[in-house]
């Protein structure tokens, strides 16, 4: 191959990777729950793609998806060990989906914060199988090839993921109702309105504060309407005065970015069903907030 052919091949390789990139990010992010780790995976996939003999690869997107998924599974296995020593509740890193509603997927499945949190309870292979099938509608045969297992086992992996989510995740409300509940909640939380909070929280609501060890973040989830309501009322005088609230979108849903002194200090998202707000998810960890804030301020 001469220099001109080499240049043409490199240019085509770049075009193929750029075209596949949104979906590759979507796969990696859903498996890992981390934008930073997903970007690391894409960088490694790009390096491997450059070094690969591409002459016999008929479907670049399929090849790149396979590489990305396998790299993400490997990283997820070590990430699970690291998260066991994480200080306080762990939440996925939020991602701005306002510019890409489906985050590179045909369907927005497995991108909501609450769903990603539940997927953490699956092992990395089960999670990858579920993501590839439910978010990207990959055929079972192709998923089996990616995971290097049988098609029958792949069906079992996806089935286990579905059963896990259906057992723990109630049907979500509409986007309109989701935002209404968030608006009512924020108003009540800011003013310390106990009755207002109790009116929108479900009986078994759980509040998660992911601070990564920062001061002021609860190191254990707060559970139950009574406990959560009273905790938020007690918390209000220290958290909300002089704060600024910006309505944003995170992981396909309405969210609130809270700032103090011109600096983002928290992102609030929630999960809700017909019974009210089931989960409150406060991302306070500066390392997790930074990539999101950068994305929404571009």
């Amino acid at each position: 191959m001469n220099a001109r052919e080499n240049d043409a091949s490199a240019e085509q390789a770049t075009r193929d990777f750029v075209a596949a990139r949104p979906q590759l990010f979507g796969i990696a992010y859903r498996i890992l729950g981390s934008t930073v780790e997903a970007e690391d995976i894409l960088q490694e996939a790009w390096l491997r793609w450059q070094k690969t003999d591409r002459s016999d690869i008929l479907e670049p997107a399929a090849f790149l998806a396979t590489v990305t998924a396998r790299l993400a599974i490997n990283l997820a296995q070590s990430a699970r060990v690291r998260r066991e020593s994480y200080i306080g509740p762990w939440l996925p890193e939020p991602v701005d989906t306002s510019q890409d509603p489906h985050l590179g997927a045909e369907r927005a499945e497995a991108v909501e914060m609450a769903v990603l949190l539940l997927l953490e309870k699956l092992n990395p292979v089960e999670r990858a199988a579920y993501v590839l099938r439910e978010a990207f509608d990959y055929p079972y045969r192709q998923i089996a090839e990616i995971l290097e297992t049988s098609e029958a086992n792949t069906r079992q992996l996806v089935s286990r993921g579905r059963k896990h989510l259906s057992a723990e995740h109630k049907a979500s409300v509409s986007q309109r109702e989701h935002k209404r509940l968030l608006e009512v909640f924020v108003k009540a939380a800011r003013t310390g309105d106990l009755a207002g909070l109790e009116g929108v929280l479900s009986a078994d609501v759980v509040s998660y504060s992911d601070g990564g060890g920062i001061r002021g973040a609860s190191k254990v989830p707060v559970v139950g309407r009574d406990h959560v309501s009273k905790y938020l009322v007690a918390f209000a005088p220290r958290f909300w005065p002089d704060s600024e609230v910006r309505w944003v979108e995170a992981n396909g849903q309405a969210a609130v970015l809270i700032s103090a002194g011109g600096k983002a200090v928290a992102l609030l998202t929630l999960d809700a069903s017909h019974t009210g707000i089931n989960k409150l998810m406060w991302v306070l960890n500066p390392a997790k907030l930074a990539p999101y804030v950068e994305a929404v301020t571009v």
Side-chain angles (χ1 to χ4, degrees), residues 30 42 48 55 76 84 96 103 130 132 199 225 239 282:
R30 285 171 171 86
L42 261 62
R48 295 195 181 194
S55 59
E84 288 176 359
D96 175 26
L103 194 61
Y130 181 88
L132 291 168
R225 180 189 292 138
F239 184 74
W282 306 80

Side-chain angles (χ1 to χ4, degrees), residues 16-27 38-39 42-43 64 104:
D16 289 337
F17 187 85
V18 170
R21 194 183 192 286
Q23 189 174 89
L24 301 182
F25 180 84
I27 291 171
E39 290 291 355
L42 261 62
Q43 181 64 25
L64 287 166

Side-chain angles (χ1 to χ4, degrees), residues 48-85:
R48 295 195 181 194
W49 179 235
Q50 288 180 301
K51 296 175 182 178
T52 296
D53 180 359
R54 300 179 294 273
S55 59
D56 295 328
I57 297 175
L58 301 178
E59 298 182 33
F63 176 88
L64 287 166
T66 297
V67 171
T68 298
R70 289 177 181 173
L71 287 170
I73 289 170
N74 290 338
L75 184 55
Q77 289 168 338
S78 61
R80 284 170 71 90
V81 176
R82 294 198 305 274
R83 287 167 191 170
E84 288 176 359
S85 59

Side-chain angles (χ1 to χ4, degrees), residues 38-294:
E39 290 291 355
D40 288 343
I41 290 298
L42 261 62
Q43 181 64 25
E44 179 62 26
W46 166 243
L47 293 174
R48 295 195 181 194
W49 179 235
Q50 288 180 301
K51 296 175 182 178
T52 296
D53 180 359
R54 300 179 294 273
S55 59
D56 295 328
I57 297 175
L58 301 178
E59 298 182 33
F63 176 88
L64 287 166
T66 297
V67 171
T68 298
R70 289 177 181 173
L71 287 170
I73 289 170
N74 290 338
L75 184 55
Q77 289 168 338
S78 61
R80 284 170 71 90
V81 176
R82 294 198 305 274
R83 287 167 191 170
E84 288 176 359
S85 59
Y86 193 80
I87 301 174
W90 180 93
L91 290 173
E93 291 177 17
V95 64
D96 175 26
T97 48
S98 61
Q99 300 302 316
D100 182 4
H102 298 291
L103 194 61
E106 296 176 14
R107 291 177 282 179
E109 183 66 36
V111 74
E112 295 176 8
M113 291 282 281
V115 174
L116 289 172
L117 184 59
L118 285 177
L119 288 179
E120 276 294 304
K121 297 183 180 180
L122 302 179
N123 69 50
V125 175
E126 289 173 336
R127 184 167 180 161
Y130 181 88
V131 164
L132 291 168
R133 180 62 184 174
E134 296 302 307
F136 297 92
D137 202 27
Y138 275 44
Y140 285 105
R141 174 190 53 78
Q142 188 175 357
I143 300 173
E145 292 174 357
I146 291 173
L147 301 181
E148 298 180 297
T149 187
S150 67
E151 187 172 332
N153 188 47
T154 298
R155 291 180 181 275
Q156 291 179 351
L157 292 170
V158 175
S159 178
R160 284 203 291 270
R162 286 173 177 161
K163 288 178 181 177
H164 174 72
L165 261 70
S166 64
E168 297 198 38
H169 188 242
K170 299 174 183 177
S172 299
V173 297
S174 67
Q175 295 281 12
R176 181 177 180 179
E177 177 63 5
H178 180 278
K179 186 172 183 181
R180 185 194 74 80
L181 286 169
L182 184 56
E183 288 172 341
V184 173
F185 172 82
V186 170
K187 181 179 179 180
R190 295 185 80 173
T191 57
D193 179 2
L194 183 62
L197 290 169
E198 292 175 339
V200 293
L201 300 178
S202 67
D204 57 353
V205 62
V206 183
S207 179
Y208 300 91
S209 299
D210 181 340
I214 69 168
R215 184 180 179 184
S218 175
K219 293 182 173 59
V220 294
V222 184
V223 182
R225 180 189 292 138
D226 187 52
H227 288 130
V228 172
S229 297
K230 290 179 179 177
Y231 175 80
L232 290 169
V233 169
F235 190 60
R238 292 185 290 120
F239 184 74
W240 292 104
D242 302 321
S243 67
E244 300 174 2
V245 169
R246 175 185 172 188
W247 289 92
V248 292
E249 180 179 308
N251 295 69
Q253 297 178 314
V256 170
L257 185 62
I258 303 161
S259 300
K263 181 180 180 181
V265 294
L267 180 78
L268 169 63
T269 62
L270 60 80
D271 182 50
S273 69
H274 70 281
T275 63
I277 297 172
N278 304 309
K279 289 185 179 69
L280 292 164
M281 293 162 285
W282 306 80
V283 179
L284 305 166
N285 187 336
K288 290 187 177 183
L289 273 178
Y292 179 82
V293 172
E294 182 179 357

